[in-house]
């Protein structure tokens, strides 16, 4: 789609331009088009809000349902993340990656347009407003695990230059109407030239999912995404958050919690109790082994995403052997945990300077909410219900809905 900076040209020159990306055609929208589609970026249309800005549901004149990410501030950091995300989205084409539907780059506005995902994100089903509804049975969880892995495999092994996502987490795995996963939010993505195995860069991402070599030294490689995916697998199986707060204010990672169960092969004790024992025990053992391989503290001991996909698809039959192993969980330093605590208390994205091993690292905390943020339930209404029917819809159901009619 051209150079990174091509996305920032004046909208009067570019409006109506069409290109190819994702699963079809993307185009450049005018601000007026998106304003009309989202009912003036109204509160009723708001899907989520975070440090980056807000995401709104909308419907175009031709009936396309969209999600519009509107950046809050146009500083240099936001400008770069916008440019990176549009560039990456314009390159990728895979059924498990959220493709680019379009963007708007006016004089003072930056907006990215995606397809709307009616089942929102994995986060909303594991820890958010749908968690109590138990929509994710074992089959759906395995479908989400495999689809997400295939999307990452495409980024690492099939697109050129290959792409490191750097922010794999539950809120960045979106779910379509069939609970097919689409990996989203490429604002932190890194394009890696052929022949380059790793790079040293400023640390970006979400604590709890960060590989140790990346969190501590800024060493980024595709193995960092593998580690994050391993945490995501544990989250899918256990229903636990990557970092949980214990009584007294101390924090524990999901790997610290899971390690003794895995070491003693007490796999059933790891399973999310919301599943009520309805799972495939053979699959459970294989998925836990894959997760344990992915979250090894030494990056060279982790599998590639291609190997992960084979293991999830075929298990021991064709994916390779699975040996008994321990997780070898790592503990984030108190300085990193302090950043996580600050992020919780302030509930906004900000940069912090920390001292680690006599080095100053800038750690940029990703917004936990992802593209279709963690929404307040009272704000969420069915976006497909026409205004005149909203009152009737509220009377029909006491809880908010996201599915299409």
């Amino acid at each position: 789609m051209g150079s990174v900076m091509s996305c920032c040209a004046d909208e009067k020159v570019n409006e109506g331009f069409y290109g190819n990306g994702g699963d079809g055609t993307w185009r450049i929208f005018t601000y007026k088009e998106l304003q009309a589609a989202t009912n003036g970026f109204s509160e009723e249309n708001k899907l989520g809000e975070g440090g980056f800005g807000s995401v709104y549901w909308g419907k175009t004149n031709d009936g396309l349902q969209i999600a519009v990410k509107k950046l809050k501030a146009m500083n240099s950091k936001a400008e770069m993340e916008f440019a990176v995300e549009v560039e990456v989205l314009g390159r990728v084409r895979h059924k498990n990656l959220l493709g680019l539907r379009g963007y708007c780059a006016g004089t003072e506005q930056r907006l990215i347009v995606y397809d709307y995902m009616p089942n929102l994100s994995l986060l909303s089903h594991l820890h958010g407003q749908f968690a109590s509804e138990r929509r994710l049975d074992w089959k759906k969880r395995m479908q989400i695990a495999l689809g997400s892995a295939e999307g990452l495999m495409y980024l690492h092994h099939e697109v050129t230059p290959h792409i490191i996502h750097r922010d794999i987490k539950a809120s960045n795995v979106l779910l379509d109407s069939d609970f097919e996963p689409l990996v989203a939010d490429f604002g932190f993505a890194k394009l890696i030239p052929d022949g380059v195995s790793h790079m040293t860069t400023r640390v970006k991402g979400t604590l709890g999912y960060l590989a140790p070599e990346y969190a501590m030294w800024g060493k980024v490689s595709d193995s960092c995404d593998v580690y994050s995916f391993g945490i995501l697998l544990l989250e899918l199986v256990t229903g636990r958050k990557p970092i949980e707060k214990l009584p007294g204010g101390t924090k524990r990672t999901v790997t610290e919690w899971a390690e003794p169960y895995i070491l003693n092969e007490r796999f059933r004790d790891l399973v999310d109790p919301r599943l009520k024992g309805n799972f495939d025990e053979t699959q459970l053992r294989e998925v836990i082994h894959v997760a344990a391989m992915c979250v090894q503290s030494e990056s060279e001991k982790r599998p590639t995403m291609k190997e992960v996909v084979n293991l999830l698809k075929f298990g021991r039959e064709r994916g390779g052997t699975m040996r008994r192993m321990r997780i070898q969980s790592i503990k984030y330093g108190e300085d990193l945990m302090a950043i996580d605590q600050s992020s919780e208390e302030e509930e906004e994205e900000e940069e912090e300077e920390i001292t680690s091993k006599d080095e100053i690292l800038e750690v940029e905390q990703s917004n936990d909410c992802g593209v279709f943020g963690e929404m307040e339930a009272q704000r969420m209404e069915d976006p497909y219900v026409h205004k005149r029917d909203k009152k009737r819809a509220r009377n029909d159901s006491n809880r908010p809905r996201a599915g299409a009619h």
Side-chain angles (χ1 to χ4, degrees), residues 24-70:
T25 300
W26 58 264
R27 57 168 293 218
I28 296 176
F29 290 85
T30 66
Y31 184 78
K32 286 183 179 179
E33 283 181 287
L34 298 180
Q35 190 174 39
T38 59
N39 192 25
F41 299 103
S42 69
E43 284 295 311
E44 286 187 343
N45 287 53
K46 185 179 286 187
L47 293 174
E49 189 169 14
F52 59 82
S54 302
V55 179
Y56 299 86
W57 176 84
K59 192 170 185 177
T60 62
N61 288 334
D62 57 2
L64 179 68
Q65 297 176 65
I66 56 175
V68 181
K69 179 159 72 171
K70 183 180 183 185

Side-chain angles (χ1 to χ4, degrees), residues 175-375:
L175 304 173
D176 70 10
S177 57
D178 297 318
F179 286 89
E180 188 69 28
L182 291 92
V183 176
D185 207 338
F186 293 87
F188 289 169
K190 205 78 175 174
L191 279 64
I192 307 297
D194 286 341
V196 176
S197 61
H198 68 274
M199 301 175 72
T200 301
T201 184
R202 198 165 102 189
V203 180
K204 296 184 177 182
T206 303
L207 203 62
Y209 296 93
L210 295 181
E213 72 277 9
Y214 183 42
M216 292 186 285
W217 301 297
K219 183 179 177 182
V220 63
S221 67
D222 51 15
S223 186
C224 295
D225 281 351
V226 174
Y227 182 94
S228 301
F229 180 77
I231 299 296
L232 188 73
L233 271 185
L234 289 175
E235 198 173 355
L236 266 170
V237 170
T238 67
R240 289 178 172 263
K241 294 181 179 181
I243 298 178
E244 58 183 356
K245 187 181 291 186
L246 303 178
T250 59
K251 293 189 175 183
R252 177 176 62 189
T253 64
V254 67
T255 55
E256 290 178 83
W257 173 80
E259 184 174 6
Y261 293 110
I262 293 176
L263 181 62
N264 295 301
E265 298 193 344
R266 292 172 54 190
F267 299 122
R268 294 182 64 88
D269 293 330
L270 290 165
V271 178
D272 189 340
R274 288 172 292 187
L275 289 171
K276 295 184 175 181
N278 296 316
F279 59 88
D280 185 304
E281 193 149 359
T282 299
Q283 279 187 329
L284 170 65
R285 293 176 65 90
E286 292 176 344
V287 169
I288 290 297
H289 273 97
V290 172
M293 293 167 68
C294 290
V295 299
Q296 292 297 298
S297 57
E298 299 175 46
S299 61
E300 59 271 16
K301 291 184 178 180
R302 299 172 204 147
T304 65
M305 284 311 303
K306 188 175 289 187
E307 291 168 335
V308 167
V309 168
N310 283 334
L311 285 167
L312 290 175
K313 275 186 174 180
F314 309 113
R316 279 168 272 201
E317 181 182 349
R318 288 174 57 187
T321 59
M322 293 186 180
R323 61 185 182 279
R324 181 178 179 180
M325 65 173 65
R326 59 184 297 164
I327 272 189
Q328 298 175 337
S329 64
I330 60 102
K331 290 186 178 182
Y332 294 111
E334 291 182 4
D335 43 12
L336 287 172
M337 284 297 197
I339 289 179
D340 184 61
Q341 179 66 30
S342 173
S343 177
E344 281 186 3
E345 292 173 351
E346 298 177 11
E347 294 184 343
E348 63 181 8
E349 181 184 86
E350 62 180 357
E351 293 181 9
E352 301 278 356
E353 288 189 352
I354 62 171
T355 303
S356 176
K357 296 185 182 297
D358 299 321
E359 293 182 338
I360 298 293
L361 295 179
E362 288 184 293
V363 179
E364 186 173 336
Q365 274 283 75
S366 165
N367 171 55
D368 285 341
C369 298
V371 176
F372 294 169
E374 177 55 25
M375 295 172 286

Side-chain angles (χ1 to χ4, degrees), residues 1 13-20 25-29 102-103:
M1 65 174 283
V13 176
N14 285 321
E15 66 180 52
F17 179 82
Y18 283 77
N20 292 316
T25 300
W26 58 264
R27 57 168 293 218
I28 296 176
F29 290 85
Y103 65 86

